[in-house]
Amino acid sequence: MTKVLTEHWDQPRLHELETYRRLGGYEALKKVLGMDRAQLIDEAKKSNLRGLGGAGFATSLKWSTVTPEEKNPGPRYVVVNCDESEPGCFKDRVLATRNPHQLIEGLLIAACAIDAKQNFIFIRGEYQIQYEILEKALAEARGAGIIKPPVSIDLMRGAGAYMSGLDTALLETMEGKKAWPRQPPPFPTASGLMGRPTVVNNVETLCMVPSIVLRGGEWFAKLGTAKSGGTALFSVSGHVEKPGVYEFAMGTPLREILAAAGGVKGGRKLKAVIPGGVSTPVLTADELDTPMDWDGPRAQGSFLGAGGVIVLDETTDMVMVAHNIERFLAHESCGQCTPCRQGSYWYVRILERALDGGGVAADLDTLRRTGEDMTGKVICALGDTVGLVTRAMMKKFSNDFKAKFHGEPPHG
Amino acid sequence: MSHFSAEQEQTLMGWARRYPYRIMGLLEALRQVQEWRRCVGDQDEEYLAKLFDYPRNHVHELVTFFPGLTLRPTGRYRVGICRGLSCALAGSAAMCRCMEKSLGIKAGETTPDGKFSFETMECIGACDHAPALIVNDKLQGAASEQSISELLERLP
């Protein structure tokens, strides 16, 4: 199978400029300097590349909708979202560690596509090791004249909030504010960082770009399925033999990804798989033939998300899983929208009571109703998720829930 | 005169000048202060509010919003164990208990000598090293009884 991102991962010192260049690095950037912007965006369009941070928005469309210089003179920015924080996802950490120059090259190409001069990599504070790797790589690229004025790339760190990983909340964070998502429109491409047109792209998305430029958009598109171009990285963790990052063509059945990671740990039976990080609804062991592209998990009521595959074996109690996820979401809820701030809190309380042995049968209905009152009624995807993931588990693993929610209310 | 040294003032000024807009450096400056003082106190908030020409209550808002910033001092080493789903499946609860026992403190507390503080973390993006152990924002690999005791002995 063709590998786009992991092809050279076995090369020692890949993170250094010399190695990256020896393997053909920064050739794509040279090619781009001879292309006009329309050509470049067209190549991205042909590639069918979609945002691999989880939203799946067409990258070429994002680039092409940036308000043009004539209509809004002044700076425009590309911001890399390296604030990976969704439980189950760790591919951006590995990409930044292994091949930082690939990210820098992709970023410089995106900057050409929208004619941005100042660019930023926003990285979560807990990735201090990767921050230092990127700092070194940027210094190397500046020293070699690859990044030269007026073009610049600067780094900025977050301080521990999951919300900072959502594009508009990321921009708020960069502006010295708490990570509260904005209600679009306007979208960042019209009014982003400090009110200027801004493209926010995920690390993995940008890492794909150099290969697309070099080998062509059509080549990339053909690696995947009709609506999902290329390959994707899957972060596999949980009850598996070999947790890690695996690259597969878009549309690869979940079964193959699980097999590559060595199958279920200890030879136990599979119970369920969370396909794209904890905010994506669960799949059952019978849904392993789901093709992992933008449409496959959707047909099963879930999402590809950011490819964070979490494997759950037969010993797993789904009420515990639901509680763990909801506790995470409640902790990270920014508090802006009342349904999410309150709803996530009560979800945790209700699930906690059931885990402690005080589950009440009528609570299942409360969870259902409260969930419906959140999904679609809040600004960002976190609030949508709170109502969604537990309800999916209640539907697909009703026995687990019935076993824990059977009592009478404590006050009669 | 402020409570920062001249050199520290220079560093904070560096953050204020680094990005196209002054305010963009505020969060990094707060991180810097947190690193020096192990917390962001009243005086620090006052100082940064002036430096960044930003209302004091907005600075305070950042300190209380972001888990990386604290009002009360943490230890010199901020030790964290992740309790995200993959880490929970790999036994992070038991490792948290082990850490609490080794340090003699509960999660959220600091040892009396100010050397260590311990926090439970929400996902730190290291599900392939579950249950993940982190010290001062640097991943240390998977937590085990052995790795915890080795770590605590190793740190000066």
Side-chain angles (χ1 to χ4, degrees):
Chain A
M1 199 212 90
T2 313
K3 309 271 188 196
V4 181
L5 299 182
T6 57
E7 190 185 356
H8 299 303
W9 278 12
D10 54 350
Q11 295 281 335
R13 315 191 84 74
L14 178 60
H15 61 284
E16 290 175 359
L17 178 61
E18 197 192 323
T19 319
Y20 184 65
R21 268 189 161 161
R22 183 164 49 76
L23 296 164
Y26 289 112
E27 288 301 316
L29 184 63
K30 272 187 212 154
K31 191 172 165 186
V32 164
L33 296 177
M35 288 162 86
D36 65 40
R37 277 160 51 197
Q39 246 179 319
L40 176 57
I41 291 175
D42 191 50
E43 210 58 55
K45 192 176 176 190
K46 279 189 215 149
S47 76
N48 241 340
L49 176 65
R50 292 166 65 171
L52 293 157
F57 192 79
T59 306
S60 60
L61 190 59
K62 194 182 265 188
W63 291 354
S64 64
T65 47
V66 172
T67 315
E69 180 88 37
E70 308 87 75
K71 279 197 192 154
N72 190 349
R76 50 221 46 244
Y77 307 110
V78 178
V79 175
V80 182
N81 184 345
C82 188
D83 191 90
E84 177 178 56
S85 330
E86 167 114 350
C89 304
F90 46 90
K91 63 187 173 73
D92 294 342
R93 186 198 92 227
V94 178
L95 278 171
T97 314
R98 298 255 190 166
N99 203 350
H101 283 287
Q102 192 176 40
L103 172 62
I104 295 169
E105 187 176 12
L107 169 52
L108 291 170
I109 295 170
C112 290
I114 71 156
D115 202 14
K117 299 290 180 277
Q118 286 167 315
N119 308 284
F120 302 93
I121 301 175
F122 184 88
I123 183 164
R124 64 179 304 187
E126 294 83 354
Y127 282 180
Q128 181 62 24
I129 294 171
Q130 287 67 34
Y131 178 84
E132 287 167 18
I133 291 171
L134 285 166
E135 226 175 11
K136 260 190 210 145
L138 285 171
E140 275 185 311
R142 281 185 207 114
I146 294 164
I147 307 171
K148 52 176 186 276
V151 174
S152 69
I153 300 179
D154 208 349
L155 285 161
M156 192 186 286
R157 278 167 297 189
Y162 170 67
M163 277 317 307
S164 296
L166 185 99
D167 55 0
T168 57
L170 186 154
L171 297 172
E172 289 281 301
T173 310
M174 289 184 72
E175 292 178 9
K177 292 181 261 176
K178 61 183 187 284
W180 273 21
R182 298 174 185 165
Q183 173 73 73
F187 289 93
T189 46
S191 174
L193 183 62
M194 303 307 290
R196 300 298 311 162
T198 306
V199 159
V200 183
N201 275 153
N202 166 260
V203 171
E204 187 186 352
T205 312
L206 287 176
C207 286
M208 294 288 187
V209 170
S211 299
I212 291 171
V213 168
L214 273 186
R215 304 196 214 180
E218 275 167 27
W219 165 83
F220 186 82
K222 273 190 200 140
L223 298 176
T225 55
K227 284 188 185 161
S228 317
T231 63
L233 294 186
F234 295 93
S235 316
V236 187
S237 68
H239 294 136
V240 278
E241 284 291 343
K242 292 183 287 176
V245 174
Y246 298 87
E247 182 172 15
F248 279 100
M250 280 284 189
T252 302
L254 188 50
R255 188 183 301 280
E256 262 182 60
I257 297 167
L258 183 56
V264 182
K265 198 170 183 177
R268 285 194 293 269
K269 267 172 66 185
L270 181 71
K271 179 164 185 170
V273 181
I274 294 172
V278 296
S279 62
T280 60
V282 70
L283 301 178
T284 66
D286 297 331
E287 292 169 323
L288 274 193
D289 291 317
T290 303
M292 292 296 277
D293 57 17
W294 294 109
D295 301 316
R298 223 169 239 278
Q300 316 292 342
S302 189
F303 306 101
L304 181 67
V309 178
I310 305 178
V311 180
L312 305 167
D313 73 13
E314 56 187 334
T315 66
T316 317
D317 172 20
M318 295 311 274
V319 180
M320 183 282 281
V321 174
H323 173 260
N324 181 283
I325 295 174
E326 299 296 358
R327 198 215 55 228
F328 169 79
L329 295 171
H331 183 270
E332 300 299 341
S333 172
C334 75
Q336 185 172 196
C337 307
T338 312
C340 168
R341 184 183 67 227
Q342 295 293 307
S344 60
Y345 168 78
W346 284 104
Y347 254 65
V348 177
R349 291 283 302 264
I350 291 170
L351 289 162
E352 214 156 58
R353 181 162 78 171
L355 282 178
D356 290 342
V360 174
D363 277 352
L364 287 178
D365 202 45
T366 310
L367 288 175
R368 221 168 275 131
R369 256 187 309 112
T370 315
E372 281 163 12
D373 285 344
M374 280 184 277
T375 306
K377 298 183 175 70
V378 288
I379 291 176
C380 84
L382 185 143
D384 288 338
T385 301
V386 174
L388 216 61
V389 281
T390 297
R391 276 188 293 157
M393 283 184 213
M394 284 161 57
K395 217 184 265 172
K396 289 185 173 173
F397 296 93
S398 57
N399 286 341
D400 284 27
F401 282 83
K402 274 181 202 148
K404 288 254 167 28
F405 290 86
H406 50 65
E408 291 292 318
H411 305 299
Chain B
M1 275 299 285
S2 79
H3 59 300
F4 290 114
S5 70
E7 198 185 331
Q8 286 178 323
E9 284 188 347
Q10 279 297 311
T11 306
L12 294 176
M13 183 54 86
W15 285 117
R17 288 187 178 145
R18 175 156 168 170
Y19 300 104
Y21 295 83
R22 180 171 272 241
I23 195 60
M24 286 174 66
L26 176 58
L27 190 60
E28 282 282 10
L30 280 163
R31 286 180 55 95
Q32 182 69 74
V33 171
Q34 174 79 36
E35 193 188 314
W36 289 333
R37 305 173 70 80
R38 300 279 141 220
C39 68
V40 183
D42 284 352
Q43 281 183 306
D44 305 321
E45 284 184 4
E46 277 306 332
Y47 183 87
L48 291 176
K50 274 203 194 102
L51 178 62
F52 285 88
D53 191 19
Y54 208 47
R56 159 86 194 271
N57 60 334
H58 284 205
V59 178
H60 186 65
E61 186 176 65
L62 294 189
V63 181
T64 52
F65 183 87
F66 287 98
L69 308 172
T70 61
L71 292 169
R72 269 182 280 172
T74 67
R76 273 193 292 128
Y77 298 104
R78 284 179 87 169
V79 181
I81 291 179
C82 180
R83 54 178 192 167
L85 182 55
S86 297
C87 291
L89 295 172
S92 82
M95 287 305 112
C96 287
R97 284 194 297 275
C98 172
M99 183 64 81
E100 288 179 336
K101 213 176 132 200
S102 308
L103 292 175
I105 53 171
K106 293 272 167 220
E109 293 177 351
T110 304
T111 53
D113 62 359
K115 186 172 176 185
F116 295 105
S117 52
F118 171 53
E119 293 155 72
T120 54
M121 307 287 289
E122 299 305 335
C123 188
I124 54 171
C127 320
D128 49 343
H129 296 284
L133 179 62
I134 192 166
V135 179
N136 292 351
D137 287 337
K138 287 190 172 176
L139 178 64
Q140 307 289 317
S144 65
E145 283 185 16
Q146 199 190 341
S147 73
I148 288 174
S149 82
E150 277 172 12
L151 176 85
L152 299 184
E153 261 174 51
R154 195 178 72 229
L155 294 175

